[in-house]
Amino acid sequence: MMMIKKNSIYIFIVSFLIMTSSSLYLAEIGINSSLLYLGYFLILLKIYKSLLRRKEIIYTQFFQVLLIVLLLSIGILIQNIEIKQKIMLVLAYFLMASFIILGKYFFKSIDDLKIVSHAILLGYIIVCVLSLIVGTSIIASVGEGVFSFGLTGGMGHKNIVAASLLVGLISIYTYIILGKKRNFDMYLVYIYILLIFLSGSRTVWIMTIIFFIISNMYIIKNLSKLKRYIFKFIITLLSIIIVSIVIKYVLLESQNYLFRLLGVISFWNLHKDDYYHLVFGFSEIVYNNSNSYFENVWSLTEGIGTFEMGFLNIIARMGIIGFVGYVILFNIILKKAKKIENIKQRYILYGIVYTMLFSGFVELYIVSVQYVYTIMILCIISFLTINSKEI
């Protein structure tokens, strides 16, 4: 009889709670935030409990967390914002720094990623069934795209749902490559790909393609010189075709992406001479309680374009100092990835990191811990930076 480990149950419960917190119905009855906060607490409890057992590195790693928090929040701390708002923002950055630096302690082995994948899929199914029972729509109309609808499962915007499903796909695929593959595991990959496709999220379609291309680049290393050149040629050709399609059918013909670009241009034209706020961020404007958050954000571009771009949001909230914090953080991650001996693990980590960086040009995942994608991917990145001998 197979024994179920306590750690596996713990990870399953946390992943399930975070996934179900995206339910529109649970938001309507006011308990989705409680599920999300409980998920935060359980992750922090596990990673800091594990860190306390490692006395030789506890101070070094906790100092790294505090350093990242300082870089991300220094602009907020020196500006005229209510104390309560400052505390909430600093706590959010503390969560982000903890997940990316210490998230590796949330997992004990590569098998735990399989548990995450199962929990996310079950959470999606449960929310979908619950939505059907209470009458919440599981299909949303799409303003533009390949389809006129998107299967959201009763979990809000198609991009957020699809990104959550991408976490499940990345988790099970990583387990298959680095762990012990079973036939059922590949079926999970196909199920996730189908659900992501049916979501109608072009952004996550592109993210999925980027992940698969980069994470499988290790194949080149095992080929002969001639086959390596042929493979590189095919990949280059495919990349050119994909980029051309993205530019033509997504960037040039998409009002959503055009609004993002207009937001960047408008923001720069309006604030290029405001050096103080460019360096330290516009948080005293963004979080001014005299208007709603959305009105404040729109005021930064005078309503021209949109702010739904992660990197632009970093500058707006944290300034160049916060952006530098992100650069340092991801540079450290990529340097760690380069030192990983297991070539498959190295390229999977590359695939996850570059996929997340790409999302910064089109979505807010990289800057907000309210998304399933952000929370779980940061922990997975942290876990995979551990050398394969330690996993």
Side-chain angles (χ1 to χ4, degrees), residues 44-106:
L44 290 176
L45 179 65
K46 190 171 191 299
I47 62 179
Y48 278 100
K49 185 177 179 181
S50 298
L51 180 63
L52 288 172
R53 295 172 182 163
R54 295 167 169 81
K55 295 182 180 180
E56 69 280 3
I57 59 172
I58 180 174
Y59 297 110
T60 302
Q61 300 215 337
F62 190 63
F63 174 76
Q64 291 174 354
V65 171
L66 294 181
L67 179 61
I68 295 298
V69 173
L70 178 63
L71 285 171
L72 298 184
S73 60
I74 188 170
I76 292 166
L77 294 173
I78 66 173
Q79 292 190 49
N80 185 26
I81 309 173
E82 287 187 3
I83 296 297
K84 181 181 177 181
Q85 187 68 61
K86 286 185 179 181
I87 293 172
M88 294 300 293
L89 291 170
V90 171
L91 283 176
Y93 300 143
F94 175 72
L95 284 171
M96 184 171 288
S98 296
F99 294 157
I100 193 67
I101 300 295
L102 306 174
K104 55 193 171 188
Y105 300 128
F106 182 59

Side-chain angles (χ1 to χ4, degrees), residues 18 21-22 36 40 160 317 364 368-372 374-375:
I18 293 173
S21 70
S22 299
L36 183 61
Y40 288 155
I160 297 174
R317 294 186 190 186
L364 301 178
S368 178
V369 289
Q370 66 178 335
Y371 302 117
V372 177
T374 309
I375 300 167

Side-chain angles (χ1 to χ4, degrees), residues 4 31-32 95 149 161 163 175 301 340 343 346 370 374 384:
I4 300 176
I31 66 171
N32 67 312
L95 284 171
F149 68 91
V161 177
Y175 169 78
T301 61
I340 293 174
I343 191 171
R346 187 192 316 157
Q370 66 178 335
T374 309
L384 291 177

